[in-house]
Amino acid sequence: MTTSLLIVQLLNGLQFGILLFLVAAGLTLVFGVMDFINLAHGVQYMLGAYLAVTFVGLTGSFMLGLVLALAAALLLGLAFEFLVFRHLYERDHLDQVLATFGLILLLNQAVKMIWGAAPLSVPVPEFLSGNVRLLDGILYPTYRFALIGAGLGVGALLWFVVEKTRTGMLLRAGASNAPMVSALGVDIRKLFMVVFAFGTMLAGFAGAMAAPILSVEPGMGDTVLILAFVVIVVGGIGSIRGAFVGALIVGLVDTLGRSSMNDLLRLFMAPASARATGAALSSMLIYLVMAAVLFVRPEGLLPAKGRS
Amino acid sequence: MSAVTTPSMAARPAAPTVRWLAPLAILGLLALLPLATALGLPSHWLTLVTRAMIFAIAALSLDLILGIGGLVSFGHAAFIGIGAYGAGILITEGQTELLVALPVILIVCGIFAAVTGYVSLRTRGVAFIMITLAFGQMAFYFAQALSGYGGDDGLTLNEKSTLLGREIFANRTGFYYIALGTLAFCYWLARRLVASRFGRVLRAARENAVRVTVTGYDVDHVRLGAYVISGMMAGVSGFLLANQTDFVSPAFMSWQRSGELIFMVVLGGVGSLYGAIVGAIALLAVEDVLSGLTQNWKAIFGPLIVLFVLFTRGGIAGLMAKLRGSRDG
């Protein structure tokens, strides 16, 4: 692999990691604060992408479509919270897993019925459509840089809200001991609603941002959900910092593994068997990393403080 | 439940007669089904119930660790897949003998369960759910990458397994009774395990692992043992499934399949063992009816799961216990 290819793959890995972070942050936030395991987080990501397809198509403007898609994702999140999730806060994880699993089946099918089973796409917005020239004539798409920037921006905003604001203080307190926060006079139900809606919007944002570079299709959320799980297990459940570190590790390992495993194995294997083994190994690589991390640190790399 | 109920009374298992009567009635009814099809019930039922019994074996094995051990495994479909691929690959290579395939499948499933279980059991609760899910996906991607054996498209089998050269799986009614016999044996085995000292430690560790550890038992060893047994049992159901469908594919171990298995257990009643059998049959029957109604049956099935979780507690076995309880006053 040449240096220029390595740089491009590193950027790809970074961009994939940022995307995973946006999904995993919402997932781990909801879990950390509400002790709620939301499998439907992946289909909320998918909905974000489909809403972007619709609204960008309707308005003809990427930015306007994105804003409308986020608003719609937020409304949907509130509707789910009202109809299903709020009845599950007190239940055990098994009930939460099952109910949100039912939602996945419904929403995957509903998306197929509304938008069809064929993959859709969103055009890359005009003002981000070019390439950025890196050193020595290496080109990298502007939109992917924008995605990395937007993800870092959202990450910084999230960090600021959670660590520096009053709401964030209540969130962290609620994550450690919800009944105590409630006893101090905070409306914990409202707090949960806000966290949940915000988490849904984060997933929707990730989906909408991914729409121009990935194909938008039913089931696209399921793959991302599993990867987001790996991310938060590696990073430490309930921890935003952990989600960030975990997402970058998973994004880079997965991308670099896929691009270099073949070459690596060819050093000591026949090309045909290297290709077959490489394909199998590279899809399993992040799970192997996860197993290794857990073997050494069962709590993840950066576990949230105050949780037992 | 009144205020005078003590915790020990609340945790009291069903009366012994009920515990034996319900499963015996279920297995007895199942044994009579081929007779009903001979008398005019559509033979489609025989195939459906065979499939349901095969899944019941997997659900039963899941209930051992989920219901008895309190460990929510979300990657159980991987074992079905390994069992199915074990049969599929051996048959493709010309080895149809059951006496070869079964030990191979049991060993491979046992090793996979031992390795993944060892890592997964270092964690508890949600982390355990996610890790088992991730290992399930690992098996899924591995099957997808098996380009020599169908890869993404799956593998069609031209032959069924044989016992000492005899084609015992070829006859539909015969196959029905093989599945029923295997299910009955697995149920008996699971019951024996739960009643043994091993099962009591497993159950006690679900309630309070620290206390059990202090008593001198190695909780992790017992849990890992249960995980391995459970994985092997699910592997057997995969072997039967491959022989029924004459086809194996990565979809056998998709995480949605693992979710369905959990739903079977919850539908029937967590920890009751026979509930897993009821749940598997009920679920496949509902799926069969719904998919006959509309192509978009999952849009109905999904909300049904949500409603079931929101409005019932303890599944079908729980409902039955509740009915009994209210009748007793």
Side-chain angles (χ1 to χ4, degrees), chain A residues 18 125 127-128 141-152 205 209:
Chain A
I18 295 279
F127 66 104
L128 295 173
T142 315
Y143 184 79
R144 287 177 185 253
F145 272 120
L147 203 160
I148 295 174
L152 289 176
F205 180 67
M209 288 302 284

Side-chain angles (χ1 to χ4, degrees), chain A residues 31 37 39 91 93-95 97-99 101-102 104 106 109 113 222 226 229 280 284 287 290 294-295 298, chain B residues 74 118 122-123 126 130-131 133-134 137-138 141 145 255-256 262 266 296 298-299 302 305-306 309-310 313:
Chain A
F31 181 75
I37 175 161
L39 294 188
R91 302 287 194 86
H93 290 137
L94 185 59
D95 283 354
V97 162
L98 270 182
F101 176 67
I104 293 178
L106 167 66
Q109 198 67 42
M113 288 158 72
D222 301 358
I226 315 271
F229 272 165
M284 297 189 335
Y287 302 105
M290 183 196 70
L294 284 172
F295 189 78
Chain B
F74 211 134
Y118 184 74
R122 290 169 67 88
T123 62
V126 180
M130 293 179 185
I131 291 160
L133 182 69
Q137 284 303 104
M138 202 158 107
Y141 288 122
W255 70 282
Q256 282 92 342
I262 297 182
V266 173
N296 297 315
K298 279 185 179 165
I305 297 182
V306 177
V309 173
L310 289 183
R313 290 275 180 98

Side-chain angles (χ1 to χ4, degrees), chain A residues 138-220:
Chain A
I138 310 167
L139 293 176
Y140 198 71
T142 315
Y143 184 79
R144 287 177 185 253
F145 272 120
L147 203 160
I148 295 174
L152 289 176
V154 169
L157 186 72
L158 200 61
W159 173 82
F160 180 77
V161 170
V162 172
E163 295 291 329
K164 299 291 169 196
T165 65
R166 191 182 147 73
T167 315
M169 184 189 74
L170 291 176
L171 285 183
R172 280 176 289 133
S176 310
N177 193 335
M180 183 57 84
V181 175
S182 180
L184 290 174
V186 176
D187 187 345
I188 203 93
R189 292 234 142 209
K190 211 169 99 191
L191 186 70
F192 278 12
M193 209 170 83
V194 170
V195 171
F196 188 81
F198 186 67
T200 306
M201 211 170 71
L202 267 181
F205 180 67
M209 288 302 284
I213 49 172
L214 298 176
S215 69
V216 178
E217 55 193 345
M220 68 184 278

